[in-house]
Amino acid sequence: MTEAKLEAWLEETRSFAPSTEFAQQANAQPSLYGEASADPVAWWREQAERLTWTTAPSSTLEWDPPFATWFGDGTLNASYNCVDRHVEAGRGDKVAYHWVGDAEGESRITTYAELQKMVARCANALTELGVTAGDRVAVYLPMIPEAIVTMLAIVRLGAIHSVVFAGFSADALSSRILDSDCRFVVTADGAFRRGTASPLKPAVDEALETCPNVKAVLVVRRTGGEVGWVDGRDHWWHVVVERQSDQHTYESFPAEQTMFIMYTSGTTAKPKGIFHTTGGYLTHVATTYHYIFDVKPETDVCWTAADIGWITGHSYIVYGPLLNGVTQVLYEGLPDSGGKDRWWRIIEHHQVSILYTAPTTIRTLMKWGTQYPASADLSSLRLLGTVGEPINPEAWMWYREHVGGNRCPIVDTWWQTETGGILISPLPGITATKPGAAMTPFPGINVDVVDNDGRSVGNGQGGYLVLTAPWPGMTRGIYGDPARFKETYWSRFPGSYFAGDGAKRDEDGDLWLLGRIDDVMNISGHRLSTTEVEHALVGHPSVAEAAVVGAYDEITGQAIVAFVTLRGTAEGGEMDPALIIEELRQHVANVISPIARPRQIILTPELPKTRSGKIMRRLLRDVAENRQLGDVTTLTDPTVVNMISALMESHPSSED
Ligand code: WTA
């Protein structure tokens, strides 16, 4: 973000205490912090009671940094905990999901009893296809109930899901399948976006050309129409799943059984397969969901507006809410599928009481205007949340006023794919919130802000965010690469987990997250590495060299700006710059995903480099954000940046 914006952000002085009414009924009461800090490990052991264990754990934490074991000798079944036990407790008729399709009027209600049967059928089908405990299964599905059923069926069998966001390309899918050697894929023929069917199966077919170990593909029919088919490998869901018995006897697995892998971008071109295990992860998401979202399973209707292809979908659409037995809205479409008031009509129609989404979505809704939220009755809402990137005070205030009617507490939740669940957030009945601040570590979580030498900074100062003690939902590592896990997270400040984020403690000691301090970009709450995009660009035959930076963007938080030098053409002919820029933007979208399409590409004959040949991204960021240039003395040729600045000014930015 620009310096001026950052300053305005940090000068924010407003504060909003919860109403007495909210505070009195809240799940989290002020004594909670003291109870947890007295003995965090014992406190987490108590929270583990939220789960139904087949064998109750006698051990809590074993810590051999950076490798943790939580509840190590306990056994349980994740899917039983999310579904069956609610049915056994007589809550089978309770709605688990109101699924709302992309198209107006398309909806499906699924009760916990129905969900149990769907999961049982799917687990039986996966067994028939050969899935056994420990197998990796790739899931490449849109936001349809089958996605959740599939995830629950996989973990029911003790297998491991690797959900790949359905917006990712065939290349991205195949590299993820290969990295963790997935043997099975569950997908759909296509997905709907604003009424248009877009195919998914062709990307799977293309991806599998390089994945010979995949034995079976299960395909949900969502959009209809022709699909390519490999006999013996491909199976229709409506044939194989629907004919199964709706009874399935589950087995129990150790607490440290790997439950899922979620790929996320780091600072290199290769995404990291972050893996999570069962008992600790489920304890963490069940506990945070209960206290931070203050859920009352009998009355609340919860809507986490995220995609199951990201960690937010895993922790706060699938596992956290289901463990708590709540009713949810599951929405397939985009915020404006069927009109710019679609969201608000969904909230009104389903009487949503708890809404959780990303700042980028709030800014988009804000741009469309207050007339849309004002046109619906939003009085059912009682709590709002945000996640994924820093929220600017302006968007926070808009959310509070125009969505929350100045009555709903807002929880700005900080966490990561690696952390499994929320680590920093207000507690809605306790914390007086400040617009733009994530405020306080969750009970049982130990956070610090440190300087370059690892020393804790005082109030009013900024530094690096670290976690100084293990927590139950923490990743157990990078799949197949323990050395990279140590190096990436545990070497910068020995003994602590380094999150890669900058943070500030204000004068009251409250925490403000300031975004990434490394080469990870955050585009609309999606993590992408600069190197990943550079890698895609230099893979194009016309590109000689590329440097990518994340630049401030009003709507998406950050946007991708790429500086590219082209190869000379053999014939000496000139290419039309506008055409090549468009081609390169499309190329990145094809290689990674449309979310990685650069906002701007600047063609430049040279890139600014230090004498040792390192590209000075910091300077390019200054250029991309129209800032005064920083120190240029280490450059081989200081005139290069001025030339690039001039080029940047003459290039219009391309918007989609
Ligand atoms: C950023 C998403 C500020 C942060 C759950 C982190 C945030 C990265 C917040 C993780 C927040 C997430 N305030 N920044 N409330 N929440 N971030 O792995 O930079 O997709 O490191 O997990 O998002 O992104 P990830």
Side-chain angles (χ1 to χ4, degrees), residues 33-63:
Y33 287 112
E35 285 157 26
S37 64
D39 186 346
V41 173
W43 186 78
W44 280 116
R45 174 67 189 83
E46 278 168 38
Q47 304 312 309
E49 300 291 321
R50 296 176 185 283
L51 308 181
T52 305
W53 296 84
T54 311
T55 322
S58 65
S59 64
T60 304
L61 170 67
E62 277 158 42
W63 182 220

Side-chain angles (χ1 to χ4, degrees), residues 125-146:
L126 292 174
T127 303
E128 186 181 304
L129 295 177
V131 176
T132 56
D135 283 341
R136 277 81 53 214
V137 183
V139 179
Y140 188 65
L141 281 169
M143 285 288 288
I144 51 179
E146 286 85 349

Side-chain angles (χ1 to χ4, degrees), residues 207-242:
L208 294 190
E209 283 170 18
T210 54
C211 305
N213 288 346
V214 171
K215 296 185 221 164
V217 180
L218 187 57
V219 189
V220 177
R221 183 140 73 197
R222 172 70 189 118
T223 51
E226 288 289 301
V227 282
W229 206 253
V230 177
D231 284 329
R233 184 196 74 184
D234 297 350
H235 307 267
W236 281 115
W237 176 290
H238 58 266
V239 175
V240 179
V241 178
E242 296 312 323

Side-chain angles (χ1 to χ4, degrees), residues 51-218:
L51 308 181
T52 305
W53 296 84
T54 311
T55 322
S58 65
S59 64
T60 304
L61 170 67
E62 277 158 42
W63 182 220
D64 177 14
F67 300 103
T69 301
W70 284 86
F71 316 121
D73 60 352
T75 66
L76 75 171
N77 185 287
S79 162
Y80 170 82
N81 270 275
C82 289
V83 185
D84 307 52
R85 64 171 176 158
H86 303 308
V87 180
E88 285 174 11
R91 281 180 268 129
D93 291 339
K94 186 171 172 56
V95 175
Y97 294 106
H98 293 283
W99 175 77
V100 179
D102 177 76
E104 293 282 349
E106 197 186 7
S107 63
R108 254 158 82 181
I109 291 178
T110 306
T111 64
Y112 276 89
E114 286 162 349
L115 185 60
Q116 184 184 32
K117 291 184 174 164
M118 288 158 77
V119 172
R121 280 202 188 94
C122 184
N124 287 327
L126 292 174
T127 303
E128 186 181 304
L129 295 177
V131 176
T132 56
D135 283 341
R136 277 81 53 214
V137 183
V139 179
Y140 188 65
L141 281 169
M143 285 288 288
I144 51 179
E146 286 85 349
I148 288 160
V149 170
T150 300
M151 290 164 75
L152 292 168
I154 292 168
V155 299
R156 189 175 186 90
L157 299 173
I160 300 165
H161 56 70
S162 169
V163 181
V164 178
F165 175 55
F168 272 126
S169 66
D171 271 7
L173 175 62
S174 75
S175 67
R176 285 159 175 76
I177 289 175
L178 287 171
D179 184 74
S180 49
D181 193 16
C182 292
R183 300 298 171 99
F184 304 88
V185 179
V186 185
T187 188
D189 54 354
F192 283 111
R193 282 168 66 87
R194 276 194 214 96
T196 309
S198 61
L200 275 181
K201 178 76 170 30
V204 175
D205 292 337
E206 190 188 329
L208 294 190
E209 283 170 18
T210 54
C211 305
N213 288 346
V214 171
K215 296 185 221 164
V217 180
L218 187 57

Side-chain angles (χ1 to χ4, degrees), residues 30-31 61-62 84 90 93 111 116 205 224 287 307 309 315 319 404 446 478 523 553 567 624 653:
S31 58
L61 170 67
E62 277 158 42
D84 307 52
D93 291 339
T111 64
Q116 184 184 32
D205 292 337
T287 309
D307 193 283
S315 300
Y319 297 107
N446 291 286
I478 298 175
I523 317 296
D553 185 280
R567 288 172 197 260
S653 85

Side-chain angles (χ1 to χ4, degrees), residues 264 311-312 386-390 412-418 499 501 513 515-516 522 525 527:
T264 189
I311 192 71
T312 304
T386 75
V387 57
E389 48 173 324
D412 172 1
T413 62
W414 179 89
W415 58 296
Q416 307 177 298
T417 303
E418 294 85 343
D501 278 22
L513 278 306
R516 305 288 306 190
N522 191 327
R527 272 166 73 170

Side-chain angles (χ1 to χ4, degrees), residues 543-580:
V543 175
E545 212 174 9
V548 165
V549 298
Y552 173 76
D553 185 280
E554 212 156 299
I555 298 294
T556 58
Q558 280 190 314
I560 300 176
V561 179
F563 299 86
V564 169
T565 63
L566 296 177
R567 288 172 197 260
T569 49
E571 318 79 55
E574 282 289 302
M575 287 180 278
D576 178 349
L579 283 182
I580 185 84

Side-chain angles (χ1 to χ4, degrees), residues 308-568:
I308 46 119
W310 308 108
I311 192 71
T312 304
H314 284 48
S315 300
Y316 299 111
I317 294 178
V318 184
Y319 297 107
L322 290 178
L323 287 167
N324 280 281
V326 303
T327 294
Q328 292 189 82
V329 165
L330 181 68
Y331 176 49
E332 181 189 34
L334 297 169
D336 58 349
S337 298
K340 292 191 165 63
D341 59 348
R342 183 73 189 278
W343 254 51
W344 315 117
R345 284 189 284 119
I346 292 173
I347 292 172
E348 177 180 290
H349 182 75
H350 291 283
Q351 295 286 289
V352 171
S353 55
I354 296 170
L355 177 67
Y356 188 35
T357 191
T360 185
T361 308
I362 298 168
R363 288 191 294 265
T364 301
L365 296 163
M366 184 171 142
K367 188 178 75 180
W368 290 342
T370 53
Q371 67 274 28
Y372 298 108
S375 70
D377 177 4
L378 304 181
S379 59
S380 57
L381 288 170
R382 66 179 198 90
L383 177 74
L384 305 175
T386 75
V387 57
E389 48 173 324
I391 179 163
N392 48 313
E394 197 191 352
W396 195 99
M397 288 304 297
W398 187 87
Y399 199 28
R400 177 178 157 83
E401 190 177 333
H402 297 286
V403 183
N406 293 317
R407 116 197 128 254
C408 305
I410 298 180
V411 288
D412 172 1
T413 62
W414 179 89
W415 58 296
Q416 307 177 298
T417 303
E418 294 85 343
T419 69
I422 299 167
L423 296 189
I424 306 175
S425 168
L427 286 178
I430 303 175
T431 316
T433 52
K434 300 174 183 176
M439 303 296 295
T440 319
F442 187 73
I445 299 296
N446 291 286
V447 169
D448 203 356
V449 181
V450 299
D451 65 15
N452 245 326
D453 302 320
R455 279 188 299 257
S456 196
V457 304
N459 288 357
Q461 291 184 308
Y464 304 100
L465 186 77
V466 294
L467 280 301
T468 55
W471 63 99
M474 68 193 279
T475 175
R476 301 301 193 259
I478 298 175
Y479 198 77
D481 200 346
R484 187 177 177 198
F485 176 57
K486 275 190 186 171
E487 169 59 29
T488 309
Y489 303 102
W490 302 89
S491 63
R492 178 72 179 79
F493 301 106
S496 291
Y497 169 89
F498 173 43
D501 278 22
K504 181 182 157 123
R505 278 190 219 277
D506 67 15
E507 295 301 339
D508 304 321
D510 294 322
L511 293 166
W512 299 70
L513 278 306
L514 305 177
R516 305 288 306 190
I517 53 95
D518 51 18
D519 289 331
V520 175
M521 299 177 289
N522 191 327
I523 317 296
S524 299
H526 304 319
R527 272 166 73 170
L528 287 165
S529 82
T530 52
T531 12
E532 209 174 348
V533 180
E534 286 166 3
H535 207 77
L537 283 166
V538 296
H540 188 281
S542 307
V543 175
E545 212 174 9
V548 165
V549 298
Y552 173 76
D553 185 280
E554 212 156 299
I555 298 294
T556 58
Q558 280 190 314
I560 300 176
V561 179
F563 299 86
V564 169
T565 63
L566 296 177
R567 288 172 197 260

